[in-house]
């Protein structure tokens, strides 16, 4: 092994021998299907949407060592995090750091707590009250949980998400909610959505306005891909998969137009991207069914990384669902535009 300088500015250890495989994780996940080209890209030998010249990297989490960085992240434990884990109970042992990655595990396990019986446990972390940002690019590189198979049903009920919520005492979704990535049932559809409400005209109305888009990804449960956003906190928000624009949401007019390849930096070779959004551009008068213009609060947002189980949107978990399921996260990077 030889030291290399990563795209984020310091030395990383990179495996360079052809054919070397990542070792298996001690808690049960096997990296044996990810070959050397994936190792190289995971270790800094590929471009990131967050590493463009006009942006300055302001935060990097590469999950080195053996412990989660508690100055940045908190584990979501117990049943209080229904929005993150849905029908699962959050446990300490389902979140760990190993081999330069964060591992979130979902499994069958009966827990009796808070007057309820939970048949599943899972893992989630959040940077709430510790790290937050009010603009810039946020990039998360991960292998999503689930089976990359044509056998329908093997991943029913599995719901990974990378998302952001505002700091402060907003009622949901008054301050907004940014869903960078969601996938259900390992169906190969990467969904990205922005939620907002009638705020500030109405406070705590619980009205949910949303705009979403989707790109097909045929190997997101077996290979690393980068899920990202770019937003200014005031007028626009754009979602990306491997640098390919999924869609954007704007309150003051679009800066992107309808070009779904506008920010394509190459991504991972061999991937084909098909845009399945009804529209890739939403502006002031676009809105959702109620024609409510998107609202951006300007609040700082924290990051949440999780795998929910069940919860109503995915299909229910069945005996056929393969568990444990592993959500492997390589890094979280935030960059912000250089001042002119």
């Amino acid at each position: 092994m030889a030291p290399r300088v990563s795209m984020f500015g310091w030395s990383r250890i990179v495996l360079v021998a052809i054919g070397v495989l990542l070792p298996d994780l001690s808690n049960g996940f096997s990296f044996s299907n990810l070959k050397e080209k994936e190792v190289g890209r995971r270790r800094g030998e590929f471009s990131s949407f967050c590493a463009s010249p006009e942006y300055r990297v302001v935060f990097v989490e590469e999950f080195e060592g053996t412990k989660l960085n508690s100055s940045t992240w908190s584990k979501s434990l117990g049943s209080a995090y229904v929005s993150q884990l849905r029908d699962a109970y959050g446990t300490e042992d389902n979140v760990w750091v190993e081999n330069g990655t964060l591992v979130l595990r979902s499994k069958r396990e009966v827990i009796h707590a808070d007057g309820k019986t939970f048949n599943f446990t899972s893992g989630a972390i959040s940077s709430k009250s510790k790290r937050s940002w009010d603009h810039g690019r946020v990039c998360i590189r991960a292998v999503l949980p689930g089976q990359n198979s044509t056998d329908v049903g093997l991943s029913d009920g599995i719901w990974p998400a990378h998302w952001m919520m505002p700091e402060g005492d907003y009622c949901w979704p008054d301050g907004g909610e940014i869903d960078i990535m969601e996938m259900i049932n390992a169906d190969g559809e990467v969904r990205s959505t922005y939620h907002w409400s009638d705020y500030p005209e109405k406070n705590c109305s619980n009205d949910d306005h949303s705009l979403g888009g989707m790109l097909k990804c045929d190997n997101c449960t077996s290979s690393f891909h980068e899920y990202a956003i770019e937003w200014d906190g005031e007028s626009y928000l754009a979602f990306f998969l491997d640098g390919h624009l999924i869609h954007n949401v704007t309150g003051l007019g679009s800066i992107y137009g309808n070009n779904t390849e506008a920010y394509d930096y190459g991504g991972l070779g061999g991937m084909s991207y098909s845009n399945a959004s009804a529209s890739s551009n939403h502006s002031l008068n676009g809105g959702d069914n109620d024609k409510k213009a998107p609202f951006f609060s300007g609040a700082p947002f924290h990051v949440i990384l999780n795998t929910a189980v069940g919860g109503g949107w995915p299909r229910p978990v069945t005996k056929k669902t393969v568990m444990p399921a592993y959500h492997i996260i390589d890094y979280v990077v935030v960059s912000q535009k250089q001042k002119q």
Side-chain angles (χ1 to χ4, degrees):
M1 291 190 292
R4 299 282 182 91
V5 176
S6 85
M7 59 184 167
F8 305 125
W10 55 82
S11 294
R12 298 289 305 268
I13 299 298
V14 182
L15 298 175
V16 294
I18 298 298
V20 173
L21 301 180
L22 280 166
D24 292 351
L25 293 173
S26 62
N27 296 60
F29 180 82
S30 174
F31 271 110
S32 59
N33 63 328
L34 302 178
K35 295 185 177 180
E36 166 57 22
K37 66 176 183 178
E38 284 286 343
V39 180
R41 285 175 172 145
R42 191 171 68 84
R43 293 306 188 187
E45 294 181 342
F46 71 104
S47 297
S48 170
F49 183 65
C50 279
S52 61
E54 69 270 26
Y55 279 75
R56 179 175 64 90
V57 173
V58 296
F59 172 79
V60 178
E61 173 62 84
E62 295 182 283
F63 300 108
E64 296 296 335
T66 58
K67 293 183 178 180
L68 188 68
N69 182 357
S70 61
S71 66
T72 297
W73 306 104
S74 299
K75 297 180 182 180
S76 302
L77 305 176
S79 62
Y81 296 91
V82 63
S83 63
Q84 296 178 32
L85 300 176
R86 299 293 172 174
D87 295 340
Y89 190 88
T91 61
E92 189 86 31
D93 68 335
N94 281 323
V95 180
W96 71 91
V97 172
E98 188 172 352
N99 196 42
T101 63
L102 169 71
V103 184
L104 304 177
R105 177 178 59 189
S106 305
K107 63 180 180 177
R108 291 182 174 88
E109 180 180 11
V110 176
I111 297 286
H112 301 284
D114 303 326
K116 299 178 182 179
T117 297
F118 298 84
N119 295 311
F120 312 100
T121 62
S122 192
I125 65 170
S126 169
S127 68
K128 183 179 181 179
S129 301
K130 294 182 176 181
R131 292 274 190 170
S132 59
W133 303 269
D134 60 7
H135 70 284
R137 292 180 175 181
V138 179
C139 300
I140 301 164
R141 192 162 189 261
V143 180
L144 303 185
Q147 301 296 306
N148 188 20
S149 172
T150 57
D151 189 348
V152 176
L154 295 180
S155 301
D156 282 0
I158 304 300
W159 180 359
H162 306 154
W163 50 304
M164 300 178 73
M165 290 290 288
E167 296 285 325
D169 297 325
Y170 290 100
C171 294
W172 184 87
D174 286 0
E177 175 183 321
I178 302 171
D179 297 327
I180 301 171
M181 178 286 303
E182 294 179 283
M183 183 179 287
I184 55 172
N185 311 314
D187 62 2
E189 297 181 355
V190 175
R191 301 165 178 86
S192 58
T193 309
Y194 181 62
H195 296 264
W196 72 98
S197 72
D198 290 332
Y199 185 86
E201 289 84 5
K202 297 179 183 179
N203 188 43
C204 297
S205 67
N206 205 38
D207 291 325
D208 177 21
H209 304 282
S210 64
L211 287 170
M214 184 265 285
L215 277 182
K216 288 282 190 179
C217 179
D218 56 11
N219 65 351
C220 280
T221 60
S222 59
S223 296
F224 285 101
H225 291 272
E226 187 180 77
Y227 309 90
I229 61 163
E230 178 182 304
W231 96 116
D232 67 353
E234 298 177 350
S235 64
Y236 78 90
L237 168 65
F239 298 86
F240 300 84
L241 169 61
D242 293 332
H244 295 255
L245 179 65
I246 301 174
H247 77 119
N248 60 70
V249 179
T250 63
L252 298 174
S254 174
I255 64 170
Y256 292 106
N258 291 305
N259 181 8
T260 59
E261 302 295 325
Y263 276 82
D264 176 16
Y265 66 79
L268 296 179
M271 267 295 295
S272 60
Y273 299 85
S274 58
N275 191 313
S277 303
S279 172
S280 62
N281 174 273
H282 307 282
S283 61
L284 181 62
N285 297 315
D288 59 2
N289 293 334
D290 300 317
K291 302 301 181 184
K292 168 67 177 176
F295 171 75
F296 297 91
S297 65
F301 278 66
H302 58 267
V303 171
I304 303 168
L305 309 172
N306 70 279
T307 304
V309 179
W313 185 21
R315 291 187 292 267
V317 176
T318 69
K319 293 181 179 179
K320 192 176 181 179
T321 302
V322 176
M323 286 188 174
Y326 296 91
H327 188 171
I328 311 299
I329 299 162
D330 180 26
Y331 61 65
V332 179
V333 180
V334 180
S335 62
Q336 295 176 334
K337 211 156 197 177
Q338 300 271 24
K339 292 183 179 180
Q340 300 298 321

